[in-house]
Amino acid sequence: MNGVRKQPAEDAPIRSASGVPLPEVAVPEVTVPEVTVPGTAERHPVDPADGPGDGPGDKPAGGPDDRLGLPGEFPYTRGIRPGMYRERPWTIRQLAGFGTAQETNARYRMLLDGGATGINGVFDYPSLRAFDSDDPRAGADVGRGGVAVDLRGDFDTLFDGIPLDEVSVSLVSSQPIGAVPHLAMYVRSAERRGFAPARLAGTSQNDFLMETAITIAPEALPPAGSFRLACDLAEFALRTMPRWNPVSVSGYNYREAGADAVLEMALCLAHGQAVVRALLDRGLAAEPVLARVTFFLSAHSDFFEEVAKYRALRRMWAHWVRDELGVRDPRAQLLRYHVQTSGVTNSARHAHVNIARSALQGLAAVCGGTQSLHVNGYDEAVCIPSEHAALTALRTQYVLLHETGVAKVADPLGGSYLVEYLTDALEERARRVLERIGELGGIVAATERGWVHAELARTAFAEQKAIENGERLVVGVNTQLDGDAEELDRFELPDGSLDRQVAALERTRSRRDREAAGVALKRVARACRDGENVMPAVLDAVDADVTLGELGRVFRDELGRWEFPLWQES
C-alpha cells in the first residue's frame, strides 16, 4: 500500500487522532487577533512571547483571555513562564537502563558526558514489580527492559560518581510496590555518600494505575492498597525531601496501553486530583503538594493535536486548582510535566524513519511547552537503544533546542486557529470523561470496577482497527512498504546479569543479621496493618539489608492480591 492516497469522501469527516472532527479551515471563533512573530533565521529580534494581548490595552476582552492569557499567566494555556525556554531550557532527560547497575552506570555517564542534563533511570520488570532476581518468575526478565536492582548496594553502584546534589534523577519506578523500596534504597545510598535527603532533586514515578491497569504483574496489589503506598511515599517525600517530586502521573504509559489523547488527559487529571486530595486529607498544605505533583505525558504523531493537548491540560489543571481547591498561589497552579516521544508509534521496518518520527513528536512537545523531554532511539522497536541510537536521540534534542528556533519564543503556535480550536475541543471531551470518572466514584473506584481497563481496550481496538483498514496510514506499517526490511545492528544485552544478581543476593543473605532483617520486615507488616506510613519502616528494613523481593512479599501479604476484572463496566 504505497503512494499518496486521497482523503476520505466528503461524508466521512476528517478527524484528529483522537476523533475530533477537523474543519476544512479553522476559523477564529474562540481565538484572538493574529500573532506577530518577527522572523528569526534572518537575525531579526524576537520578543519573548509576542502575541495576542501583549500590550496593556491590547488584551482580548471576555472569554478568550480567560482561556489563553499570556505565557506565565493564569490559566497558563500558553506556558508556565513568560519567556519559557529563554528563561530555562527544557531538561534533556534520556531514558536508560539495562543489565546490572554497573552497566547502566556506564550508560548514565555516557549520556551526561554527551549533554544530557538529567537522569531518567528505568528498572527491569522484576524490579518494578518487587520480585528478587532469583525469584522463579523473574529469571527471563532480569536486566531486560531496564536495570536489575535487588539491594541497597545496587543503588550504590548505579549512581557511583554521579553528583546527586547537582543532577536531577528520575526513578522510573512505575508501580508503588517497587517505587517505595527504590526510593528508600536511593535515599540510604545517597546518605552514605554524604547527600542528605533534602539535597536530592528528582522524581519517583509511583503510579498506582501502572500496577493495576497498565502493566499487570503476577500478584498485583489491589487499587486501594497500591494507591495507599503511593501516597505514603508522597507524604514522606513532601515532609523530608523538598526538591523531590513524589508522583509522576504516567499519561505516557496510559497512551502506550491504548488510550487516545482525550483519555490520556482525563486519566491524568483524575489521578492527579485524587493524589492531591488524599495528601490534603493527611494534613499536608495544598501549596507544597501541588508544587510537587508532576505528570509524564506522551508525544504522538498527530502534531497539532499533541500541541493542543499540553495546552488544554495546563488550563484544566490551573482552573481546578484555583476554582475548586481555592488555591491562589500561581506556583501551585502550574501543571509541570515530562514528555517522551511515543514508542508504540515506532516501526521495526524502516527503523531509521523513527528518527524523523521522534523528532517531530519532540517538536510537538516543545511547541506545547514541556519542562523535560526524552526522544526515543530509532531502534527501540526491536531492542534496548544502542549507543548510536541513544546518542542520535540525544543530539536530536539539541537540534530542536539550537537549530529550529522553537526555543526563542513562548507558545510559538499560540493564536493558530487550528491549535486554539483543538485546545478547546480536547478540553471539552476530556471534561466529559472526567465527569464519568466522578460518577463512578473517582479514579480508584473506576479502576476497581474495570472501567479504566474497558476504556483502554476500547481506544486501543479503535486505533488498531484504523491501522488495519487503512483509515490511518503509518509508514513502514501499512504504507511505504517498498524495499527490503532494514537490518539493524541490534544492541546485545551483556551476558551474565542474572548470575551476578543472584550471587549478590546470596552473599547478602548469608552475611546479614537474620534476626534484624526479620524484625525489620515485621515492622513493615505492622505499618501496613495499622495504617501507618510505611516509609520509615522500609528505610529501617533497607538498613537491615532486606531485599526488594522480601519487601514486595510483605506488601502483598498485608495489602492483598488482585485480579483485574474480566467483566468490565463501561
Side-chain angles (χ1 to χ4, degrees):
M1 188 187 297
N2 288 329
V4 177
R5 297 181 61 193
K6 294 180 65 175
Q7 297 286 4
E10 281 187 5
D11 58 351
I14 296 175
R15 299 177 182 274
S16 73
S18 293
V20 178
L22 296 177
E24 184 173 351
V25 178
V27 293
E29 293 176 344
V30 294
T31 64
V32 287
E34 65 182 71
V35 178
T36 301
V37 179
T40 55
E42 301 301 324
R43 299 180 184 277
H44 293 311
V46 179
D47 290 338
D50 207 357
D54 56 355
D58 196 27
K59 284 193 175 181
D65 194 30
D66 194 42
R67 290 196 291 274
L68 290 177
L70 291 173
E73 292 185 4
F74 188 88
Y76 310 102
T77 311
R78 307 197 62 203
I80 66 169
R81 289 187 291 274
M84 286 303 289
Y85 305 126
R86 283 188 174 194
E87 299 178 31
R88 183 190 304 171
W90 64 88
T91 301
I92 296 174
R93 192 188 295 276
Q94 292 294 113
L95 198 70
F98 58 89
T100 63
Q102 185 175 17
E103 290 144 357
T104 293
N105 174 266
R107 179 63 67 92
Y108 288 170
R109 289 166 178 260
M110 182 198 80
L111 290 170
L112 291 170
D113 290 343
T117 54
I119 287 174
N120 209 10
V122 63
F123 302 94
D124 69 8
Y125 297 130
S127 301
L128 290 172
R129 295 159 179 168
F131 292 106
D132 282 337
S133 293
D134 59 357
D135 188 291
R137 295 163 289 191
D141 288 322
V142 171
R144 298 181 182 278
V147 60
V149 292
D150 297 296
L151 302 157
R152 181 190 59 192
D154 290 324
F155 283 79
D156 295 342
T157 304
L158 191 58
F159 295 100
D160 181 41
I162 294 173
L164 299 181
D165 57 343
E166 299 176 12
V167 176
S168 169
V169 173
S170 178
L171 301 177
V172 189
S173 304
S174 309
Q175 289 93 331
I177 195 172
V180 166
H182 290 168
L183 181 62
M185 291 178 179
Y186 179 72
V187 166
R188 287 299 195 235
S189 175
E191 286 176 332
R192 283 156 58 99
R193 293 177 54 197
F195 301 109
R199 296 171 61 193
L200 301 175
T203 301
S204 290
Q205 198 170 82
N206 191 30
D207 181 324
F208 91 101
L209 281 180
M210 294 293 292
E211 186 144 6
T212 56
I214 307 299
T215 59
I216 295 291
E219 303 184 359
L221 294 181
S226 185
F227 185 74
R228 175 260 174 103
L229 282 188
C231 292
D232 281 359
L233 185 158
E235 181 184 13
F236 166 80
L238 286 162
R239 294 189 188 281
T240 62
M241 304 174 71
R243 301 176 68 200
W244 196 262
N245 303 314
V247 174
S248 180
V249 178
S250 305
Y252 177 86
N253 297 91
Y254 312 159
R255 195 71 179 275
E256 294 286 292
D260 60 15
V262 172
L263 186 59
E264 178 189 359
M265 292 171 64
L267 292 177
C268 280
L269 290 167
H271 187 176
Q273 292 169 3
V275 168
V276 170
R277 290 195 184 282
L279 293 172
L280 299 187
D281 288 343
R282 293 184 180 213
L284 292 160
E287 287 79 2
V289 170
L290 289 161
R292 285 293 164 192
V293 171
T294 61
F295 295 82
F296 169 31
L297 305 176
S298 175
H300 266 237
S301 294
D302 190 324
F303 181 82
F304 295 103
E305 182 174 270
E306 292 302 296
V307 174
K309 177 184 73 179
Y310 308 122
R311 302 170 88 251
L313 269 171
R314 269 195 302 272
R315 182 163 68 195
M316 295 178 76
W317 184 257
H319 271 290
W320 178 74
V321 171
R322 188 192 69 174
D323 302 338
E324 297 195 31
L325 294 185
V327 175
R328 314 298 292 189
D329 183 349
R331 292 170 299 180
Q333 296 169 347
L334 306 179
L335 182 137
R336 298 173 302 120
Y337 58 95
H338 168 79
V339 170
Q340 180 173 342
T341 60
S342 170
V344 76
T345 64
N346 284 357
S347 61
R349 188 182 181 88
H350 304 326
H352 281 92
V353 175
N354 295 327
I355 297 174
R357 193 173 273 133
S358 297
L360 289 168
Q361 293 170 354
L363 180 62
V366 176
C367 285
T370 188
Q371 281 74 68
S372 172
L373 178 64
H374 166 96
V375 170
N376 284 338
Y378 61 80
D379 55 0
E380 289 189 53
V382 295
C383 63
I384 285 174
S386 62
E387 288 190 6
H388 184 265
L391 287 173
T392 301
L394 177 64
R395 290 163 183 158
T396 299
Q397 295 228 30
Y398 279 95
V399 171
L400 294 173
L401 180 62
H402 293 321
E403 300 182 26
T404 64
V406 71
K408 294 179 179 176
V409 293
D411 193 27
L413 294 179
S416 156
Y417 298 144
L418 176 59
V419 169
E420 302 301 352
Y421 162 77
L422 283 171
T423 302
D424 288 351
L426 290 176
E427 177 177 355
E428 175 56 29
R429 286 175 175 236
R431 191 175 305 283
R432 290 201 294 268
V433 180
L434 268 176
E435 290 171 356
R436 177 58 180 149
I437 294 172
E439 292 168 357
L440 292 167
I443 190 65
V444 175
T447 307
E448 291 171 337
R449 297 169 69 164
W451 180 89
V452 173
H453 307 77
E455 286 299 291
L456 289 170
R458 178 184 63 77
T459 48
F461 178 77
E463 173 69 11
Q464 185 61 32
K465 184 178 177 183
I467 292 173
E468 291 181 1
N469 67 21
E471 179 184 344
R472 191 183 312 287
L473 298 179
V474 182
V475 173
V477 175
N478 62 0
T479 188
Q480 307 301 124
L481 298 173
D482 55 307
D484 296 331
E486 193 171 4
E487 291 295 328
L488 291 173
D489 292 329
R490 298 190 182 198
F491 178 77
E492 297 294 337
L493 285 167
D495 293 331
S497 297
L498 175 59
D499 292 340
R500 289 193 286 275
Q501 289 300 119
V502 170
L505 280 164
E506 290 174 348
R507 285 196 302 272
T508 298
R509 290 184 186 125
S510 64
R511 68 166 171 74
R512 72 183 178 185
D513 183 332
R514 291 186 180 182
E515 183 177 354
V519 169
L521 283 170
K522 288 180 180 176
R523 187 183 166 205
V524 175
R526 188 166 60 250
C528 289
R529 287 195 300 273
D530 294 347
E532 299 173 6
N533 191 311
V534 300
M535 283 300 300
V538 172
L539 285 161
D540 288 347
V542 168
D543 289 336
D545 285 327
V546 165
T547 71
L548 175 65
E550 289 168 335
L551 286 165
R553 187 161 57 247
V554 169
F555 291 142
R556 293 183 183 96
D557 288 345
E558 299 300 330
L559 300 177
R561 295 166 172 82
W562 189 64
E563 297 291 337
F564 74 91
L566 291 176
W567 304 106
Q568 300 156 343
E569 183 169 344
S570 61

